[in-house]
Amino acid sequence: MFHWLEKHPFLFSVGVFVVIAFAGLIEIVPNFAQASRPVVGTAPYSTLELAGRHVYIKNSCNACHSQLIRPFKAETDRYGHYSLSGEYAYDRPFLWGSKRTGPDLMRVGNYRTTDWHEHHMKNPEEVVPKSIMPAYPWMFENTVDIDTVYAEQLTVSKVFSVPYNKAVPTKDGSVTVKMGKDLEDAKAMALEEAKIVAADMKDPRVKAAVEAGEIPEIVALIAYLNSLK
Amino acid sequence: MENRPLEYDYTVAKMFMLTTVLLGFVGMLIGVILAFELAFPSINTILGSGLAEYTNFSRLRPLHTDAVIFGFTLSGIFATWYYVGQRVLKVSMGESKFLMAIGKLHFWLYLLVVVAVVVSLFAGVTTSKEYAEFEWPIDIAVVVVWVLFGMSIFGLIGIRREKSLYISIWYYIATFLGIAMLYLFNNMEVPTYFASGGIGAWYHSVSMYAGTNDALVQWWYGHNAVAFGFTVPIVAMIYYFLPKESGQAVYSYKLSLLSFWGLMFVYLWAGGHHLLYSTVPDWMQTMGSIFSVVLILPSWGSAINMLLTMKGEWQQVAASPLIKFMVLGSTFYMFSTLEGPIQAIKSVNAIAHFTDWIVGHVHDGVLGWVGFMIMAALYHMAPRVFKREIYSKKLMAAQFWIQTLGVVLYFTSMWIAGITQGMMWRAHDQFGNLAYSFIDTVTVLHPYYTIRGVGGLLYLIGFVMFAYNIYKTMSARQVEETELKNASPMGA
């Protein structure tokens, strides 16, 4: 039979394709609808938080930090409650990572402050002696691109029905994450958020930039890290 | 024509051989830099703080993986395809102007994609999905390159003289189909510029899948890109080059059948082992775990088939550095495909996941199996393609030992580092509190990171010797009039 098949490349290729596609169908399809349901309390990212997420991705922070707490005592002791599927319902892409060169950041917002992050990004060793993390000084100089962030918010709300401007249930009532009416509005909202973060920061350049209506990458990144709870 | 030996046309094979050497060097060099950045963080800013953004670990890391996977390995796959394909199908590229044009277009577009990838990753333009970091414009270009590769495979098969497809061809077909399917589904994304009516960066996109689903599709891709990029095509190579170089027939046809179809069926299930203890459903994790162990059978099937091909001819291993590369490569393949399933066992994975042991596992596979096999293939091809004898067999033997030492240092240090890390993360003291802070688990790894860096450096030095040897072979004055004679698969 197989000698016969080896003389018919087309049928051979069809055979190979069917055999390899099989596992994917069975493993991936059944769970798809279920895994996209958010758990109570999970809300979409605000404009500034999403901008911070872009900075996080741009610098491949996920290469060294995971965002997935496994259900082991040591991990829940160290990082907090283990991860639930629905907590990631608005994560496009997912950022679980595959390597923990540094600690997990899934709930870093619970135990680190704006001030801590600011110093840590400027000089990690000053905050954590012997840290092997490099410094990220350029984040204090580069400004974020709110246009692209707003485009993403529009896209996910239109294409994937992510609930911006809608009430999202939480344990005590509900929250509404606002998205700008237009690009100008989005920029103004992000700047308001940025002012709150920058108020807790020390770097004079950051303060001056925010005063002048610009948002340095570090401000957005810290807003994102603070939102991880 | 019928009675004369065919003149194969190696134009495209030569072009891809050059990128194999060039991108292999770049990818490995970045790897060595990264290894030392982890051991000595000050290297992150070695070119000054102005360039720190681009010499930083986090920017270089995806560049390293992509350069080795899609630069070195993929070039090697293409180079060997444009050599092996003609020979086992008994048809020359020179016979078809169309296929020649496809081949050249394939090469130049591939090179264009490589440049685009390097520029975009340095700029920090990435989707963050491992080994699928490219934004949608590059993804589309990758698909076109892949279609061209497919056209060249099926085009050559279409005009073949040899009726039956040799084993290597099965594996090249599977490589094409597997990667095509995986890449398309994992890179489904919505360009935000168009969806929002022209706002923001034109190249930005958002994944079609969210959270757990995104992770599932990503690791279905990520693991199986290893399968169809690092395993399947490299098996295609060894099935051609080892019998050809040693003059021995493949040990068992039945075993090659069994391991081929077994590999095709089992491999795709195993991706779930990247998601153990995550938020994907338990049954999927269990399937991933079980099928990873089952995967030992087809993997060892082809490795044993290759090693037994040397039956009765083991003296060749001692005599020929080229055979050494292939035999040790197969041995590393067996080692790595035993190590992987062990890591996929849930209780072991609880310690190994997120640690350097996984990094070690990838590298004993890539350096020992993929790297050795591609270099061996190029060593076998060079005298036939350039019609000159290999410049130095002594250099080749020296390279073999230096690189073997490099691989051993690499994986032993990462084994120790990974298990140490995993055990320290989970350790509790007598009162039930965590015994170590995270930074304790980082500082303890310093010596192993240094040893790993040295191992990687040795491998890189060996690779430079390889590049020099190939260069001297290419540019030697003496030309071989007749091709070196070996017995061969399919008489090709």
Side-chain angles (χ1 to χ4, degrees):
Chain A
M1 181 212 161
F2 280 99
H3 279 296
W4 167 82
L5 195 57
E6 282 152 33
K7 291 189 176 71
H8 294 84
F10 178 73
L11 292 176
F12 179 86
S13 308
V14 172
V16 169
F17 188 74
V18 170
V19 172
I20 56 180
F22 187 67
L25 272 175
I26 292 192
E27 281 201 331
I28 294 177
V29 176
N31 189 50
F32 237 69
Q34 205 187 343
S36 17
R37 281 183 216 139
V39 293
V40 169
T42 303
Y45 295 102
S46 74
T47 311
L48 189 66
E49 288 162 10
L50 194 58
R53 203 167 194 269
H54 284 187
V55 176
Y56 188 92
I57 290 171
K58 182 182 171 190
N59 290 286
S60 293
C61 302
N62 53 301
C64 291
H65 294 279
S66 56
Q67 286 190 26
L68 176 77
I69 303 169
R70 297 179 295 170
F72 306 142
K73 185 175 185 301
E75 299 215 352
T76 51
D77 279 3
R78 184 170 271 129
Y79 306 118
H81 195 286
Y82 58 83
S83 307
L84 302 172
S85 185
E87 292 182 275
Y88 300 106
Y90 303 121
D91 279 13
R92 293 172 194 268
F94 81 111
L95 290 172
W96 293 0
S98 59
K99 177 80 204 303
R100 260 182 208 156
T101 304
D104 189 275
L105 301 180
M106 173 92 192
R107 305 191 195 285
V108 70
N110 286 333
Y111 50 85
R112 296 288 186 226
T113 59
T114 298
D115 185 54
W116 190 91
H117 286 305
E118 181 185 6
H119 285 97
H120 187 239
M121 298 306 286
K122 212 178 255 180
N123 187 0
E125 263 209 279
E126 196 180 281
V127 188
V128 183
K130 301 215 171 152
S131 168
I132 60 170
M133 181 171 130
Y136 289 79
W138 58 87
M139 285 184 189
F140 292 79
E141 281 151 27
N142 300 350
T143 49
V144 290
D145 172 11
I146 296 293
D147 295 29
T148 303
V149 176
Y150 183 62
E152 185 173 321
Q153 285 182 315
L154 271 180
T155 305
V156 294
S157 63
K158 248 195 261 178
V159 183
F160 305 112
S161 314
V162 170
Y164 280 110
N165 299 332
K166 285 180 194 144
V168 176
T170 66
K171 280 193 192 101
D172 4 88
S174 68
V175 292
T176 305
V177 179
K178 289 243 169 64
M179 187 182 85
K181 286 191 291 291
D182 52 30
L183 188 53
E184 287 314 307
D185 191 29
K187 281 183 177 164
M189 280 169 55
L191 191 62
E192 285 310 307
E193 279 185 76
K195 280 178 184 162
I196 298 169
V197 179
D200 290 337
M201 293 177 69
K202 296 205 173 62
D203 195 299
R205 288 171 304 165
V206 170
K207 287 187 180 291
V210 175
E211 275 310 307
E214 280 178 348
I215 304 174
E217 286 186 333
I218 186 74
V219 176
L221 183 79
I222 292 177
Y224 171 64
L225 293 173
N226 285 342
S227 81
L228 297 175
K229 283 178 181 176
Chain B
M1 198 69 200
E2 285 303 310
N3 294 324
R4 274 188 296 133
L6 266 173
E7 265 301 315
Y8 298 111
D9 191 323
Y10 298 127
T11 316
V12 185
K14 278 182 202 166
M15 289 152 90
F16 277 114
M17 282 172 81
L18 290 178
T19 53
T20 310
V21 177
L22 180 72
L23 297 172
F25 174 72
V26 172
M28 291 174 201
L29 177 68
I30 298 176
V32 172
I33 295 172
L34 290 173
F36 282 106
E37 281 185 346
L38 285 175
F40 305 98
S42 59
I43 295 174
N44 276 288
T45 48
I46 200 159
L47 296 183
S49 53
L51 286 172
E53 187 171 352
Y54 308 103
T55 55
N56 185 291
F57 182 91
S58 62
R59 284 290 165 88
L60 292 181
R61 198 266 184 179
L63 207 56
H64 164 62
T65 49
D66 287 335
V68 171
I69 301 171
F70 304 118
F72 171 64
T73 310
L74 208 51
S75 290
I77 294 165
F78 292 152
T80 57
W81 160 254
Y82 283 104
Y83 177 90
V84 174
Q86 300 182 64
R87 299 179 72 107
V88 297
L89 295 168
K90 296 221 181 61
V91 57
S92 169
M93 293 264 296
E95 292 174 61
S96 165
K97 277 198 178 124
F98 175 71
L99 285 180
M100 193 51 123
I102 293 287
K104 284 183 182 163
L105 191 62
H106 176 197
F107 175 80
W108 289 110
L109 194 60
Y110 165 80
L111 209 59
L112 197 69
V113 169
V114 168
V115 173
V117 164
V118 172
V119 171
S120 70
L121 289 182
F122 265 126
V125 175
T126 163
T127 64
S128 91
K129 288 192 176 192
E130 278 176 80
Y131 330 124
E133 287 92 351
F134 322 135
E135 276 293 3
W136 66 269
I138 301 182
D139 283 339
I140 291 174
V142 169
V143 171
V144 176
V145 169
W146 206 250
V147 168
L148 290 170
F149 176 44
M151 283 170 82
S152 123
I153 293 181
F154 290 103
L156 217 53
I157 288 176
I159 59 167
R160 73 194 188 281
R161 291 201 180 75
E162 175 60 58
K163 279 279 160 264
S164 199
L165 303 180
Y166 179 65
I167 307 169
S168 297
I169 301 285
W170 313 349
Y171 282 94
Y172 281 114
I173 290 177
T175 303
F176 169 73
L177 293 173
I179 297 284
M181 175 182 79
L182 296 163
Y183 197 85
L184 275 177
F185 281 101
N186 189 41
N187 286 292
M188 288 292 180
E189 49 214 2
V190 185
T192 56
Y193 182 80
F194 298 106
S196 65
I199 301 175
W202 62 276
Y203 49 76
H204 184 69
S205 69
V206 57
S207 174
M208 281 278 263
Y209 320 108
T212 304
N213 290 336
D214 199 38
L216 196 57
V217 176
Q218 159 61 24
W219 285 114
W220 171 77
Y221 162 85
H223 181 74
N224 300 313
V226 175
F228 290 91
F230 280 171
T231 305
V232 170
I234 311 294
V235 174
M237 289 178 205
I238 194 140
Y239 266 118
Y240 177 83
F241 290 105
L242 184 62
K244 183 85 178 161
E245 182 68 30
S246 65
Q248 293 278 93
V250 170
Y251 173 71
S252 160
Y253 172 73
K254 273 188 192 152
L255 191 54
S256 53
L257 259 182
L258 200 72
S259 50
F260 175 77
W261 289 101
L263 201 71
M264 293 300 110
F265 181 72
V266 178
Y267 227 128
L268 271 282
W269 294 91
H273 69 217
H274 286 257
L275 302 168
L276 299 183
Y277 298 107
S278 77
T279 65
V280 309
D282 234 19
W283 69 270
M284 252 179 246
Q285 300 184 19
T286 309
M287 289 299 244
S289 194
I290 292 172
F291 272 100
S292 302
V293 177
V294 176
L295 196 52
I296 297 177
L297 293 173
S299 312
W300 278 47
S302 29
I304 288 173
N305 207 6
M306 278 304 106
L307 291 178
L308 286 181
T309 294
M310 294 309 294
K311 205 169 105 177
E313 282 290 322
W314 288 105
Q315 81 282 357
Q316 286 196 30
V317 180
S320 156
L322 191 36
I323 301 275
K324 273 197 195 75
F325 271 112
M326 297 202 237
V327 168
L328 194 69
S330 299
T331 314
F332 267 117
Y333 179 48
M334 291 179 80
F335 171 60
S336 193
T337 52
L338 178 65
E339 186 190 18
I342 290 174
Q343 293 177 330
I345 296 168
K346 279 187 125 183
S347 51
V348 180
N349 189 270
I351 297 181
H353 192 55
F354 288 136
T355 73
D356 281 297
W357 186 8
I358 308 294
V359 180
H361 167 59
V362 175
H363 283 83
D364 53 55
V366 172
L367 300 173
W369 157 241
V370 178
F372 274 16
M373 196 50 228
I374 289 177
M375 288 185 293
L378 259 60
Y379 270 138
H380 176 94
M381 286 157 65
R384 292 157 179 87
V385 166
F386 300 113
K387 305 214 183 307
R388 290 161 171 92
E389 255 193 90
I390 283 289
Y391 168 69
S392 166
K393 288 218 163 111
K394 265 190 193 150
L395 194 62
M396 206 198 256
Q399 175 205 339
F400 173 81
W401 290 112
I402 289 175
Q403 289 193 315
T404 303
L405 179 64
V407 183
V408 171
L409 286 178
Y410 198 113
F411 79 77
T412 46
S413 60
M414 289 298 98
W415 263 66
I416 302 171
I419 293 171
T420 307
Q421 213 173 11
M423 296 305 276
M424 282 176 81
W425 284 345
R426 61 157 55 185
H428 286 91
D429 64 16
Q430 74 233 42
F431 307 108
N433 299 319
L434 289 169
Y436 303 100
S437 67
F438 194 90
I439 192 68
D440 295 335
T441 71
V442 174
T443 49
V444 76
L445 301 181
H446 175 75
Y448 309 112
Y449 280 175
T450 312
I451 297 171
R452 181 254 301 268
V454 171
L457 185 62
L458 287 177
Y459 198 89
L460 179 68
I461 291 170
F463 195 81
V464 172
M465 293 161 78
F466 162 74
Y468 178 74
N469 215 347
I470 293 284
Y471 167 74
K472 289 299 257 185
T473 305
M474 270 170 61
S475 55
R477 197 169 292 164
Q478 193 202 349
V479 173
E480 299 280 327
E481 286 304 329
T482 52
E483 189 177 283
L484 299 152
K485 287 277 177 283
N486 289 70
S488 67
M490 316 288 290

